[in-house]
Amino acid sequence: MRGFIDELRSIRERDPAAGGLLGLMFLTPSVHVMLAYRLGHRLWRWRMRFLARFTMQLARWFTGIEIHPAARIGKRFFIDHGMGVVIGETAVIGDDVTFYHGVTLGGLLPSVDSDGQRQKKRHPTIRNNVIVGAGAQILGAITVNECARVGANSVVVKDVPQGTTVTGIPARPVSARRVTDETTFQPYGTPSDLSSDARDKAIKGLLREVDILHNKLKMLEDLQGEAKQSESSFQPEATSLSASDRN
């Protein structure tokens, strides 16, 4: 019971719209699906596989969140909004992790040699204090390390280093400043300042170079125009001088 109250309090710390404890208990899909998961996971470990899957199927109908009962999930896991989240069979999630709606922890090429993939690790591992933004897809047996941030709608297919923020398709690091403090909460896993994006810097640098080259070219054209003007004004004088010399 103490652990359940602790989870409710942790949700209030991360969601300003959470309301009181009573509202959390009855109106928060994450709470409902995690209660079902704790039961379903225990049934799975007791080898009551059908009952475990049936429990999670009921939870899916009520919450729109799909969690395989074999997945391993730590303490104070929170799914904000919830709808459309999918967590695969061999996924592992640490403590104090936050997901937003539409997140998928899936496998790579699940339809290729399905029999050969059974009993193998094929879903991601999410370490402690990770935040995953809405619509993000994390695919394959990769690891998102502690305090990492995954931006909304990103597709992650490679390991994410500790404290790193990644966004994009495929996801790439966008912040040189790593998150090292688990208390630093970044809603939706997306940084408010993307000015440190390496590609953004490269494009801005190229635009500056183009602007410099454009200015230099304009200077050369102006000099060439002045030279032609001087040459044209000099030729008549030379002609008139040669005519006077002949006289």
Side-chain angles (χ1 to χ4, degrees):
M1 187 64 180
R2 183 176 298 176
F4 178 65
I5 297 298
D6 189 35
E7 290 201 4
L8 294 180
R9 287 173 177 166
S10 73
I11 292 173
R12 290 192 66 187
E13 291 173 358
R14 287 176 273 182
D15 183 9
L21 292 179
L22 192 63
L24 282 172
M25 291 175 62
F26 290 99
L27 304 175
T28 306
S30 179
V31 173
H32 306 155
V33 77
M34 287 309 297
L35 286 173
Y37 163 76
R38 301 300 179 193
L39 173 60
H41 185 64
R42 186 164 296 183
L43 291 171
W44 185 270
R45 290 173 58 192
W46 291 343
R47 297 190 176 277
M48 302 173 70
R49 302 293 169 84
F50 177 81
L51 283 177
R53 294 293 299 270
F54 184 71
T55 299
M56 296 315 300
Q57 188 68 23
L58 288 175
R60 180 189 179 193
W61 289 341
F62 281 106
T63 66
I65 301 168
E66 181 176 341
I67 303 177
H68 196 286
R72 290 185 288 159
I73 301 176
K75 301 174 183 177
R76 296 176 296 277
F77 176 54
F78 175 43
I79 306 172
D80 201 352
H81 305 296
M83 185 64 69
V85 169
V86 177
I87 299 174
E89 179 183 7
T90 62
V92 178
I93 299 174
D95 298 336
D96 300 297
V97 172
T98 303
F99 281 8
Y100 288 86
H101 49 285
V103 171
T104 297
L105 301 187
L108 281 174
L109 302 175
S111 62
V112 177
D113 189 21
S114 293
D115 288 336
Q117 294 189 53
R118 300 185 200 281
Q119 310 303 322
K120 290 183 179 180
K121 172 69 171 170
R122 59 188 187 276
H123 297 94
T125 295
I126 311 296
R127 301 292 188 193
N128 299 342
N129 301 298
V130 170
I131 299 174
V132 183
Q137 313 294 299
I138 306 176
L139 307 175
I142 61 175
T143 300
V144 179
N145 284 285
E146 287 83 354
C147 298
R149 306 291 185 254
V150 178
N153 296 314
S154 300
V155 177
V156 185
V157 293
K158 295 181 180 179
D159 291 347
V160 179
Q162 179 178 350
T164 300
T165 298
V166 296
T167 64
I169 304 175
R172 296 182 178 88
V174 297
S175 178
R177 180 180 63 83
R178 293 192 171 189
V179 180
T180 56
D181 183 4
E182 60 270 15
T183 62
T184 304
F185 189 76
Q186 197 173 73
Y188 290 92
T190 305
S192 58
D193 180 14
L194 294 179
S195 61
S196 58
D197 188 345
R199 288 176 297 173
D200 185 50
K201 284 184 176 180
I203 291 172
K204 287 181 178 179
L206 288 172
L207 290 175
R208 283 195 297 269
E209 290 292 333
V210 169
D211 191 49
I212 291 171
L213 290 173
H214 179 268
N215 291 334
K216 288 183 177 180
L217 181 61
K218 189 175 184 304
M219 289 176 60
L220 289 173
E221 288 176 345
D222 292 342
L223 289 173
Q224 187 178 19
E226 291 176 2
K228 285 183 178 180
Q229 187 176 3
S230 299
E231 184 179 350
S232 61
S233 62
F234 176 75
Q235 285 178 351
E237 293 180 5
T239 305
S240 61
L241 285 173
S242 60
S244 61
D245 289 341
R246 285 197 300 271
N247 293 331

